[in-house]
Amino acid sequence: MSTSNSSKKTIQQKLNNLLRVQKPWFGKVVKGVWILFLVIILGFPLYVFSVGIDLFGLFGGMPSLKAIENPENDLSSEVISADGVSLGRYFRFNRSQVTYDQLSPNLVKTLIYSEDHRFYDHAGMDFWAYPRVIWGLMTFNSKGGGSTITQQLAKNLYTLDLDGPLARLGKIPRRVIQKTKEWIISIQLEKNYTKEEIITMYLNTIEFSSNAYGIKVACETYFNKLPSELTVQEAAVMVGMCQNPSLFNPHRFPKNALNKRNEVLYKLYDHKFISRATYDSVRVLPIELRFAVQNQNQGLAPYFRNVLRNDLIAWCKEHGYDLWESGLKIYTTIDSRMQRYAEDAMLEHMAKLQKQFDREWKQRSKNPWVDEDTGLEIKGFLDKKVKRTEAYRNLVNRYGAGSDSVNIMLRVKKPMTIFTYAGERDTLFSTMDSLNYYNRFLQTGLMSMDPKTGAIKAWVGGVSHKYFKYDHVRQGARQPGSTFKPFVYGTAIEAGYSPCLELLDISPTIKVSGGTWSPLNSDGTRGSGEKMTIRKAMARSINSITAQMMERVTPQNVVDFARRLGITSKLDAVPSLCLGTSDVTLYEMVAAYCTYVNLGIYTQPYYITRIEDKNGNVLENFVPKTRQAMDERTAYKMIYMLQGGVQESGGTSLGLSYDLRSNNEIGGKTGTTDNASDGWYMGITHNLVTGAWVGGDERSIHFPSWSFGQGGKTAAPIWDKYMTRVYRDKETGYGKGVFRRPATGLDITLDCSQHNSTSTDAQDSEDEQVWQVPNN
């Protein structure tokens, strides 16, 4: 008994000794646990609340609740063709949105399994991943993986202000505050949006390098596809770029991108989204890119988009929008198919024409810059022109005016990429080499317009917007040559002259200020003496008879007539105006010729149908402005006059393709300036009027000869090739047909082949019988 009690006392004594020894340590542990518990339970919410309200300005600002509920995402504004094709965008950051339905299931699943496989199970924060994040922060070696898709969206949508004093204490405080803000915003996003909306917003806000923002632009840039068309391996490339767009850029770093793609593919296999067989087969495939960085030089209608941009900037300023970031949708009248046909026709013809142009000047051992008055080569042309370049000004600022170093540096060769019709080519060129090379290029302009609606269907401003910025449709004004003659004859027809009026091919002598003026015909003579109708005279482009008509109707009346048809450029009311000596734009000329086809109604060209905001709300609809410019019978008589070019013997449009003229009513007028620097062609059909111009950027760039440079050879073939392509595509809606006739019929018989009158008086033509034609 005593032994038992003794043992109990011994055990109790030892236990008391142990507790006596451990008690201080145990107390500290318990105290620490309680402190930690209170910090987590009370302190952490208080800390989060403090960050959310930016207590005392210590943490930096937060977006408002309204901003979170209605996130603003800077969007590029998109230009859309009449047939629904994207022509391009205006952007600071090239971004365009898609909806969830426009995303490939491959893309959505790849994103979730690779970036956030518990996406549908959390409410914005993945707590299971936080230990890895904390360890990364403690070791300054964060490998990511903690941020959910929602948190990444929060970071993409809002530029988090980390300028508070606490954020500047170091990397760890800054990172902790940033993560806290992401948590707060993520919770708000999850409350306000569905999971599908969050995925869509995330993919719309990602930066994919190469000036591509958002999944839509990225897919177009790297694969020339829509997001809905991505394969599994392409989706893996896109998702792989989300972590580091520059490092995993498949164009710049293909090896990195391939490794990252395969890493993503393995995650898909690991989550059983793809089979082992699929994984093994696709991981060995190369990344097949169709890479093209989007910019204003690429895509369809770059000259048109550049002109359109200036109009849109003015509109946005008036209506309070930012063209570069408001996500506007600009719907245009341009038909993407017709635009492509116009650009293809231009490139095909200009490549051949340029080759012939260069060969003929080389055979003459001369340069194409020629003095207007003497006809001789301009000496020192390039030396004078280089002084207008930015390169020259920079060298003068560096070395001083008159320094030999300027001339030396202008001739130092350096690597350069140049334009050729066979594609861009790398070479070694000096500034002077480049100037010499590019000033030999011929340029062109083409505009195609629906005469009834005023809608511009195609716009080509030059041969390459990247290398030649100047627009030759609306910006450039040049002498129209004989394409101006229809305004002279239109004035005459309106005054009562008949298209069948006959005159002698003899150049008149007209009194002008300081002497007399007697124009020569294109063959260099003062006329053949042949009697012909004014229809045939216009068809053959006879200068002498045009001058006679100008003398009869007076220059001022011709100017007034042209003004009513939409010519706004300065016109000199002098006799030589009948030969097209005053500069006009192709834009004006096409609209004016449309007035004839539209039976006397002038329709101002237009190219915007409506503008919508980023949500599809229509901000403004646009309708063309019209006015009655002439009587419908006068207009139809001028159509008959213009048809002479393809119907009269010796007509300047007889070289058009037979297929175009067969079962089709066509009118046309060529134009060539006396100095052989400009070639024009204006072609009309019952529902499409198209003008083309060819020449040098500089007026002093001349064709080797007048014969070579005439509009029938330089500009008409572009029109021919363009119209042939348009007619082959029935979906454009522009096919062959006949011109509309006046509803009231005509007051004369339009059949000059049966006309025997030799009268030269306007009133004598009024005796003809009235010709009644049903309105088509």
Side-chain angles (χ1 to χ4, degrees), residues 223-276:
F223 298 111
N224 193 27
K225 286 185 174 183
L226 295 173
S228 59
E229 300 170 333
L230 292 182
T231 63
V232 171
Q233 58 266 34
E234 290 167 345
V237 173
M238 293 285 92
V239 171
M241 292 182 70
C242 293
Q243 290 188 9
N244 192 324
S246 297
L247 181 62
F248 301 125
N249 185 317
H251 179 69
R252 295 182 59 201
F253 303 107
K255 187 175 181 180
N256 291 351
L258 184 63
N259 292 336
K260 187 63 179 178
R261 182 204 69 178
N262 290 344
E263 178 185 316
V264 173
L265 288 172
Y266 184 81
K267 291 181 179 179
L268 296 182
Y269 159 68
D270 193 43
H271 286 90
K272 297 181 173 52
F273 179 66
I274 60 175
S275 66
R276 181 74 196 195

Side-chain angles (χ1 to χ4, degrees), residues 110-259:
T110 302
L111 174 65
I112 292 173
Y113 288 138
S114 177
E115 294 294 302
D116 187 1
H117 65 273
R118 286 183 288 269
F119 175 70
Y120 287 106
D121 299 325
H122 63 66
M125 294 182 290
D126 185 1
F127 292 101
W128 291 102
Y130 288 164
R132 182 168 61 252
V133 176
I134 295 171
W135 177 254
L137 289 172
M138 293 175 63
T139 59
F140 297 95
N141 187 29
S142 176
K143 296 183 179 181
S147 293
T148 64
I149 290 175
T150 313
Q151 287 176 262
Q152 293 179 53
L153 172 61
K155 186 163 54 177
N156 293 341
L157 280 177
Y158 307 102
T159 302
L160 302 179
D161 183 3
L162 298 175
D163 291 335
L166 295 182
R168 293 194 289 269
L169 294 178
K171 183 177 180 179
I172 292 179
R174 180 182 179 87
R175 182 63 173 159
V176 169
I177 293 172
Q178 182 181 29
K179 276 295 178 182
T180 305
K181 291 185 176 185
E182 289 176 12
W183 292 337
I184 296 170
I185 297 172
S186 296
I187 293 172
Q188 292 297 330
L189 288 172
E190 290 277 353
K191 287 181 179 178
N192 287 280
Y193 298 99
T194 66
K195 291 290 187 178
E196 288 74 18
E197 289 172 330
I198 289 172
I199 288 175
T200 306
M201 284 193 291
Y202 173 72
L203 289 172
N204 279 331
T205 56
I206 286 289
E207 188 267 325
F208 285 92
S209 187
S210 299
N211 202 28
Y213 293 80
I215 191 64
K216 181 180 180 181
V217 177
C219 291
E220 293 171 351
T221 300
Y222 292 103
F223 298 111
N224 193 27
K225 286 185 174 183
L226 295 173
S228 59
E229 300 170 333
L230 292 182
T231 63
V232 171
Q233 58 266 34
E234 290 167 345
V237 173
M238 293 285 92
V239 171
M241 292 182 70
C242 293
Q243 290 188 9
N244 192 324
S246 297
L247 181 62
F248 301 125
N249 185 317
H251 179 69
R252 295 182 59 201
F253 303 107
K255 187 175 181 180
N256 291 351
L258 184 63
N259 292 336

Side-chain angles (χ1 to χ4, degrees), residues 365-403:
S365 300
K366 294 181 179 179
N367 293 311
W369 33 89
V370 178
D371 185 84
E372 185 85 15
D373 299 320
T374 66
L376 301 176
E377 180 183 331
I378 301 174
K379 300 300 181 183
F381 173 79
L382 295 179
D383 291 330
K384 294 176 182 177
K385 188 168 184 180
V386 75
K387 294 181 180 179
R388 304 200 300 266
T389 65
E390 184 177 355
Y392 178 84
R393 290 191 293 270
N394 291 338
L395 290 173
V396 169
N397 290 335
R398 182 177 180 181
Y399 297 107
S403 171

